Structures are given as C-alpha cells and as structure tokens.
C-alpha cells in the first residue's frame, strides 16, 4: 500500500528466474558497495560509478513494468472469461506483462548493460572503445561509437525514470536537453539565451564528464544512499520497527493525548527505518489509526496528523532524506554537519505538531483511550538495544569516521545485537534478504540521480543557473529597491517555485533542480551556502504535504478513509512550522542560529523566538489556547500576524510580535471570562473551560 503513494511507482513482485537474477545481481551490487567503503577500486570513483550503474539500471527494467498508456499498448487477444476458462485454469498463476518481465524488458536490460559497461570494456570498436583510460582521453572528442552508446544510455535513463517516477521527470530532462540544443536560437537579448550546443557536445557532457550521468547525484546514490537503504532493511528485519511503535504506545499509555502522541512519536522513530514520508505514514497509520478513531479523531484530522508525522521522517536526524547527502557533497562538508543544521528545525517541527495535537484534544473533545500495554521501561530494558546502532552512527561521525564507514559499522552492530531476540535473529539468509531488499530500494533513486545529470550538465554548460538567478532577483527589484525586501521577495518567489517543482518530480530531483536554479539567486543576495542549501532541501521535501498532490496526505486519507482535500489542508496545518522556519534562517543573520551557526547566544535566541512563533501559529491555526480556552477569529488573526512577525529575527519585529501575541492571549482570557457559565456538554461542540479543567 505504501508503494502506491511514493514518489516512485510500485515495482513487480518477481518470481522464478527473473527473481533469482535480480537477487543475485542486487547481492553483488550490495557487496560491491560495502567493499568500496574499505577497499575502493584502484581505477577511481568514476569507474566504480560506471560499474554500479551497470549493475543497478538494468534491474529497473526487470523490476518495474512499462505501464504504457492504453492508446499505445499493443492489442491482445481477449482473455477467456471465467465462464469459458478451463476448470483447472485457476490453479495456474496469471502471469501478465505487469507481473513478469516481457521480452522487451529483457532486451532493454541487455542494452543497458552494454551501454553502461562500454566505457570500461577493453574492446576496440571502430575508433571507439579500448577501455576506461582511452574513453576518458576522448572527452570532448567523442568517437561515433561513443556518441551512439551515449545516446542510447540517455534514452534508457529517461525510460527508466518514466517507469519509476512517471512522465514528468523525463519531460523535464527533455526540456533541459532541448534548451541546451536550441537555446542558441533564442534572441541573444534574452537573459536565458546562450551560444548553443550541438548534440555531440551534449552527449559528451552527459556521458564523459563529471557533471553528467556520473556526477554528484549518482555518486551520492552509489556511496551513501545504497548503504543507508541496506541499513534500513537490516534495522527493519531486526524488529526495530515493531519496537519503535510499541515503545511510543507504552510511553503515552496514561495520557489523555495518548493516541495523538503515539502517532507523532512513532513517525519520528520509524523514520529512522524507512526514510520515506508516504511509507512512514502508512506504517504508523496501520497501527495508530484504530487508536485515533477510538479517541474520537475525525478521519481528516487524524490523516493530517499521520501525514505530517510521516513526512517528519525525511526531515529528522539521523537519517535524513537522500537530498541531505547531496547537500554534504555539494558543499564539501561532513554529513554530521548537515545533521547539525537540521536539529533545531526538527525540534521546532515536532513542537508544532505536538502543540496541534494538544489543541485538537481540547477543542475536539477527544476521549482518553486505554492502551493495554506494558511499562515503557520494561520494554526499553528488553529491546532498547535497537537504539544502539542509531547512537553509534552519531558517535562515529562525531569522532571523525566517514558517513559510509559509520553506517557499515551500524549495520554490523545491528546484525550482532539482533541475536538477542530469537524471533528476529539476522541469520545469513536473512542478511542476504536485507542486502537484496536494500539494493532494490535504491533502484528508482539511482535512475533519478543519473538522469539528474542531464539537468546539472546542461545548466553547467549553458550558464542557466546565474541567468535564472538574475531573473529572480530582477523580478524582486522591480517591486522594491530595498535590499532587505528584495531578499524577502526572492525567498518567497523561490519558495513558491520550489513548491511547484516538487509537485511534479521526486524529492531528490526537486532538490537538484532547485539547487542549480534557485540556489545561485540566494547566494548572490548574500545568503550563506548552508542556509541556501537547507532552504532548497526543506521546500523540496515539503512537496509531499503540499496540495494538490501531497502524496503523504493521499496515503493518510487512504488509511483513514477521510476526504482527500480536507486531509490535505489538515496536513498543511500540522506541517506549518516546516514551511516558515526556512524563511526565518534565510532572511536574517540571526536566523542562522536555527541551523546551529553563530555561537550559543545566537542559537538560543533564534530557537526561543522561533519556538514562540511556532506556538502562536499553532494556536492561531487550531483556535484554542492550551490552559485557557477557545480563541475567536480576532485573536486568531492577531496571533497569525504575531507568529509571522516573530520570524523576522530582529529586535524591533520580535518586540512587535511579542506584543501582538500578548494582546491575542489577553483577548482569549477576556473571552473565557465572558463564557464562564457552566453548560451541559453536548456532542459535536467544544467543551467550555469550566466543563474541562485544563
């Protein structure tokens, strides 16, 4: 069910020879990825990327069906109906093209192997071939064979992306390809015009350069993401996922908000296993939706909570989304530093969700739910070792161990500790299963990362990044000449552009495109590289909760049975802090404290003021001040203005925001005094403060 709502399409459930081949190749690729951590190939990292892509990309055509539109599918003879089918036909599985590879799939897989391995094969083909070094020597001077096979690989990557993510990303790739080829025909007075590139130059940039197919995105997929997906598979098979949900349930079993808190805590903990918003949403929804329903949560509100908690998995250390590794590579910093940048925003994000849970509990008259579970301390004492590998990753990173080695050590530690639980021991067979599952989980990401080379190479060759940056800044300057307001308007325009981009393409591709297009504009206005990168990262991730697509919200609605559009808006309300925090650390120097930059005083001021902003906005959105009572429309509007003003982390705006928040709180107190007469509780209306002692 989770696969239906991912950025990537669900793959086939293979059986027979196809499953055996996929498992064997995936096992070999996983072993090579682990080997590369400690014994890198002597030929260099690009050689490894070529081998990695040659092992992974063909599997995409076996694991993912073509799913062509009906109007271009070949016509087939109509299947026999149930009434005319032989009596024993039900005993035989119905193998259709969607459940097992077709002849075309096998041919495409074989062609992919040839196109991927061609650069390293020591075979002379006309004026091309000749091995890896000879291929590199022809950079800028491709032989006809190089050109043909580079074009073939380009088309295969676009088809692999279409199978795994849909039509949008291939269309974006073709758009960039067309821009690179035809951009020279644009009027040279246009800001986006360039000198023009011929097809040979484009293929050379894609196939035989460090910014194309074998650029930073694929390097991240082959060096980091594959290891973390293997780690997630190992952690899941060791029983960690079940433990995290049980611990969340036990921790809040006596709280009135037990159901809501359990959902939020489960989302945070399960995110360390899946690292996927929609998958985490479905996983926690399957367990906590019955609790939320018994507590009296409407399906739409419960769905919004589940979706927001699930997307928090991609925003939360220690296993952020795949784009976080790309940030580390682009900026040349350690992964631990990226985790540090994400820590305070993560705390603020979950603060907003938990406050919304508390407000909904009071406002909606949520009932306490009795959870028949054991003591959390007993559960921790028996299965708390599942946290060991997560803590180990942080410790290894802190003492200077590389992220790749840290996660491998964590995999080993998880495998060893799994023997403490007889039901989840990672025997050699189960370890192989985890390795294969981890590699299969990276198939779609690898296709996306390799295809992202089309975008990065075209942008590098044409100078599109600086040109787009000039357009964004020029649009802001057309409205105002004030430098501060220009920065604010540019940030808002960038946020809108990134949100729209994320609706169409997966998070990883959205970040890559956003960084090469929007990143230069922020950098040109004096925004620091960490703030610009995290700004792009957050809005790329938030596409999973942004209407009208909002994949995590769609998944949550499927679990709860709620109406889709109201579920999306509830998700937006819960996830509101994640939309506003990036604006705060971009528009003011003090905002860098939210990324842990600038010393303890700046970090403390930024965190406290932004926490107040998040709290005020939660009250404004929820319509209830905890400990006091319901807020009317005037107080909510005033609170919303106060919350937004507090995000401008300068003395005067902060003072104004605090004053407005105080006035709004005073208004709620006055309203409470005017409605203090006891009333008999009735179903469907909020309880008054007298009825409910808060």
């Amino acid at each position: 069910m989770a696969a239906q709502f991912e950025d990537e399409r669900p793959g086939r459930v293979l059986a027979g020879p196809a499953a055996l081949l996929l498992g064997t190749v995936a096992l070999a690729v996983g072993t090579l990825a682990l080997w590369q951590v400690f014994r890198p190939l002597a030929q260099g990292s690009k050689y490894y990327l070529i081998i990695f892509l040659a092992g992974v990309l063909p599997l995409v055509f076996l694991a993912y069906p073509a799913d062509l539109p009906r109007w271009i599918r070949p016509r087939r003879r109509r299947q026999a109906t149930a009434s005319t089918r032989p009596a024993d036909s039900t005993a035989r599985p119905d193998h259709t093209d969607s459940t097992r590879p077709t002849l075309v799939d096998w041919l495409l897989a074989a062609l992919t192997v040839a196109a991927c391995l061609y650069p390293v094969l020591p075979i002379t083909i006309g004026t091309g071939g000749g091995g890896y070094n000879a291929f590199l020597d022809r950079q800028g001077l491709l032989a006809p064979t190089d050109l043909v096979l580079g074009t073939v690989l380009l088309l295969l990557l676009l088809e692999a992306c279409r199978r795994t993510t849909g039509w949008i990303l291939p269309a974006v790739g073709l758009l960039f390809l067309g821009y690179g080829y035809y951009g020279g025909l644009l009027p040279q007075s246009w800001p986006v015009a360039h000198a023009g590139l011929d097809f040979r130059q484009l293929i050379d940039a894609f196939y035989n350069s460090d910014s194309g197919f074998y650029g930073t995105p694929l390097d991240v997929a082959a060096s980091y993401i594959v290891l973390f997906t293997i780690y997630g598979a190992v952690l899941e098979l060791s029983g960690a996922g079940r433990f995290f949900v049980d611990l969340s349930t036990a921790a809040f079993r006596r709280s009135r908000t037990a159901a809501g808190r359990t959902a939020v805590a489960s989302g945070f903990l399960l995110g360390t296993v899946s690292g996927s918003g929609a998958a985490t949403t479905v996983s926690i929804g399957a367990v906590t939706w019955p609790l939320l329903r018994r507590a009296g949560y409407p399906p739409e509100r419960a769905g919004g909570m589940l979706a927001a908690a699930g997307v928090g998995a991609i925003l939360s250390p220690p296993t952020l989304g795949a784009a976080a590794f790309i940030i580390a590579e682009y900026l040349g910093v350690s992964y631990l530093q990226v985790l540090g940048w994400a820590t305070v925003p993560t705390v603020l994000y979950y603060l907003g969700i938990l406050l919304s849970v508390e407000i909904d509990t009071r406002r909606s008259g949520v009932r306490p739910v009795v959870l028949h579970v054991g003591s959390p301390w007993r559960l921790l004492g028996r299965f708390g070792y599942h946290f060991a590998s997560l803590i180990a990753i942080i410790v290894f990173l802190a003492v200077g161990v590389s992220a790749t080695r840290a996660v491998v050590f964590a995999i080993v530690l998880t495998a060893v500790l799994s023997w403490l639980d007889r039901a989840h021991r990672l025997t050699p067979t189960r370890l192989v299963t985890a390795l294969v599952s981890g590699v299969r989980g990276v198939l779609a990401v690898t296709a996306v990362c390799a295809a992202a080379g089309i975008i990065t190479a075209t942008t590098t060759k044409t100078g599109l990044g600086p040109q787009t940056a000039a357009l964004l800044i020029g649009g802001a300057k057309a409205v105002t000449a004030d430098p501060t307001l220009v920065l604010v308007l540019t940030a808002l325009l960038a946020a809108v552009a990134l949100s729209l981009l994320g609706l169409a393409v997966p998070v990883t591709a959205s970040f890559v495109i956003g960084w090469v297009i929007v990143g230069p504009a922020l950098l040109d206005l004096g925004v620091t590289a960490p703030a610009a990168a995290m700004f792009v990262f957050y809005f790329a991730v938030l596409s999973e909760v942004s209407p009208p697509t909002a994949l995590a919200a769609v998944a949550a609605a499927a679990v709860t049975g709620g109406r889709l559009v109201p579920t999306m808006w509830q998700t937006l309300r819960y996830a509101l802090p994640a939309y506003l925090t990036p604006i705060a650390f971009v528009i003011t120097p003090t905002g860098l404290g939210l990324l842990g930059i600038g010393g303890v005083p700046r970090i403390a001021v930024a965190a406290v003021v932004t926490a107040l902003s998040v709290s005020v906005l939660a009250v404004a959105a929820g319509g209830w001040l905890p400990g006091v009572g319901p807020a009317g429309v005037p107080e909510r509007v005033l609170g919303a203005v106060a919350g937004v003003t507090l995000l401008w982390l300068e003395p005067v705006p902060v003072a104004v925001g605090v004053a407005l928040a105080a006035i709004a709180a005073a208004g709620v107190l006055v309203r409470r005094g005017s409605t203090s007469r006891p009333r008999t509780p009735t179903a469907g209306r909020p309880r008054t403060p007298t009825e409910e002692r808060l």
Side-chain angles (χ1 to χ4, degrees):
M1 183 177 182
Q4 299 176 21
F5 306 104
E6 292 284 4
D7 285 331
E8 297 87 17
R9 292 180 171 183
R12 294 180 171 113
V13 179
L14 297 175
L20 179 61
L21 177 63
L22 186 143
T24 302
V25 176
L27 179 61
V29 170
T31 303
L32 175 63
L34 295 171
W35 179 268
Q36 178 73 6
V37 174
F38 299 98
R39 293 290 186 271
L41 298 180
Q43 295 88 341
S45 61
K46 186 173 181 179
Y47 189 92
Y48 165 66
L49 295 181
I50 292 173
I51 301 298
F52 180 85
L53 189 63
V56 171
L57 192 59
L59 300 183
V60 172
F61 296 101
L62 303 183
Y64 290 85
D67 283 342
L68 296 172
R70 292 183 178 180
W71 58 274
I72 60 175
R73 291 179 187 172
R75 292 187 178 182
R76 297 194 203 148
R77 296 176 60 186
R78 182 171 298 178
Q79 299 277 344
T81 62
S83 59
T84 60
R85 195 174 291 161
D88 62 343
S89 64
T90 56
R92 295 192 297 267
D94 182 19
H95 293 295
T96 65
D97 289 346
S98 62
T99 58
R100 67 177 182 180
T102 65
L103 177 60
V104 172
D105 295 331
W106 287 106
L107 291 175
L108 290 176
L111 191 59
T112 304
V113 172
C116 289
L117 289 180
Y118 165 76
V120 300
L121 292 178
I123 301 173
T124 301
I125 305 175
T127 57
Y132 181 58
N133 292 329
F135 178 74
L136 295 182
D137 291 340
R138 292 193 298 274
Q139 185 172 355
L141 299 169
L142 293 185
T145 312
D146 303 335
L147 183 62
V148 170
L149 288 173
T151 304
V152 169
L153 184 55
L154 169 65
L155 296 175
L156 289 170
L157 277 172
L158 293 174
E159 168 60 11
C161 286
R162 188 198 65 78
R163 290 185 178 216
T164 56
T165 66
W167 290 91
I168 301 297
L169 184 55
V172 172
L174 290 173
L175 179 64
F176 274 82
L177 181 64
Y179 170 72
Y181 189 76
Y182 292 107
L185 302 178
L186 297 174
Q188 291 302 303
S189 59
W190 289 15
V192 295
H194 60 85
L197 300 170
D198 62 32
F199 192 71
R200 184 181 296 271
Q201 289 175 303
L202 288 169
I203 295 300
D204 179 72
F206 300 155
Y207 198 35
N208 198 359
S209 77
D210 293 333
S211 62
F213 301 148
Y214 306 109
T216 299
L218 181 62
D219 188 17
V220 168
S223 302
Y224 297 95
I225 300 175
V226 65
L227 296 177
F228 274 85
T229 55
I230 293 172
Y231 169 62
V234 169
L235 203 60
E236 176 65 28
L237 286 178
S238 71
R242 181 72 256 178
F243 162 70
F244 290 150
V245 174
D246 291 344
L247 179 63
S248 301
T249 305
F252 304 116
R253 68 191 191 282
R254 295 180 180 177
S255 169
R256 180 179 179 184
T257 57
R261 291 181 180 180
T262 298
V264 175
S266 299
F268 173 73
L269 293 175
L270 278 179
T272 61
V273 180
S274 71
S276 165
T280 305
T281 298
V282 172
S283 298
I284 63 176
V287 177
T288 60
W289 165 233
L291 301 178
L292 296 170
R293 182 172 51 201
R294 284 164 51 196
Y297 278 93
E300 293 79 14
R301 187 162 292 173
M305 182 194 306
L306 293 173
V311 169
I314 316 178
L315 302 172
S316 307
T319 51
L320 298 171
F325 299 102
I326 301 180
I327 293 175
E329 288 297 308
Y330 276 165
L331 302 187
V333 300
S334 68
Y335 182 60
L336 180 62
Q337 197 161 354
V338 178
L339 295 183
W341 296 339
T343 299
V344 175
T346 298
V347 173
L348 294 173
Y349 180 77
Y350 280 99
L351 171 65
I353 296 179
L354 288 173
L355 281 173
S356 297
V357 169
E358 298 294 327
I359 290 170
D360 285 348
T361 300
R362 270 65 180 180
R363 186 183 183 193
S364 303
V366 171
R367 301 180 296 273
V369 176
V370 179
L371 304 178
H372 299 287
V373 293
S375 165
W377 300 110
R378 182 177 301 174
L379 199 61
L380 272 175
R382 176 65 182 88
F383 299 106
Y385 61 84
H386 286 299
F387 286 112
S389 63
L390 298 171
I391 297 172
I393 290 177
I394 304 298
V395 173
F396 284 131
L397 291 175
V399 298
V401 178
S402 67
T404 52
R405 292 197 174 197
V407 71
V408 173
F409 293 150
I411 291 172
V412 174
L413 180 61
T414 303
V416 172
L417 293 177
S418 71
W419 287 80
L420 296 175
D421 183 5
R422 183 185 299 272
H424 295 95
R425 288 177 178 174
L426 290 175
T427 61
T429 301
R430 287 168 59 82
L431 278 174
V432 169
T433 301
L435 202 60
V436 172
S437 176
V439 173
R440 175 153 185 170
V442 85
L443 296 185
V445 176
T446 300
V448 169
C449 287
I454 302 171
I455 298 162
T456 56
T458 302
T459 304
T460 301
K461 285 286 187 179
T462 61
L464 180 61
Q467 294 164 346
T468 308
L471 281 175
L472 278 174
I473 297 172
K477 286 183 176 179
V479 177
T480 177
D482 183 86
T484 303
L485 293 179
V486 168
L487 175 58
V488 173
L489 288 176
T490 303
L492 292 176
L493 289 173
V496 172
L498 290 168
S499 298
L500 293 175
L501 176 65
L503 299 179
V505 298
V507 171
T508 305
S510 178
F511 173 80
V512 172
I513 299 171
W515 178 247
V516 300
I517 300 298
V518 173
L522 298 175
L523 296 174
D524 288 348
L525 290 173
V527 178
T528 63
M534 295 301 288
F535 179 90
V536 176
F537 169 72
Y538 276 102
F539 279 102
V541 169
L542 289 172
S543 63
E544 291 213 2
V545 293
S546 300
T549 53
L551 296 177
V554 174
V559 172
T560 64
R563 294 170 296 163
L564 182 56
V565 173
T567 300
M568 288 183 178
W569 289 115
Q570 289 293 333
T571 303
L572 203 60
R573 179 173 70 88
Y574 277 101
L576 184 62
Y579 285 90
L580 299 176
T581 303
I583 302 291
F585 61 65
V586 163
I587 62 176
T588 62
T590 307
L592 289 174
L594 296 174
L595 300 179
I597 299 173
V600 175
R602 175 188 281 183
I603 296 171
V605 169
V608 170
V609 174
T610 309
L612 177 60
S613 171
V614 168
S615 303
V616 173
L617 288 169
V619 171
W624 192 282
L625 181 60
V628 181
V633 173
E635 293 87 2
R636 295 176 70 175
V637 172
L638 198 60
V641 174
V644 172
T645 305
L646 285 168
L647 292 173
W648 195 297
L649 298 173
E650 296 293 342
V652 174
V654 168
V656 172
V658 170
L660 292 175
I663 294 172
V668 176
L669 285 170
V670 171
R671 183 179 297 275
R672 174 184 179 178
S674 64
T675 58
S676 58
R677 286 184 300 174
R679 296 179 184 178
T680 304
T682 57
R685 69 166 178 84
R687 299 179 180 181
T688 66
T690 304
E691 296 165 352
E692 178 136 33
R693 301 295 181 182
L694 301 178

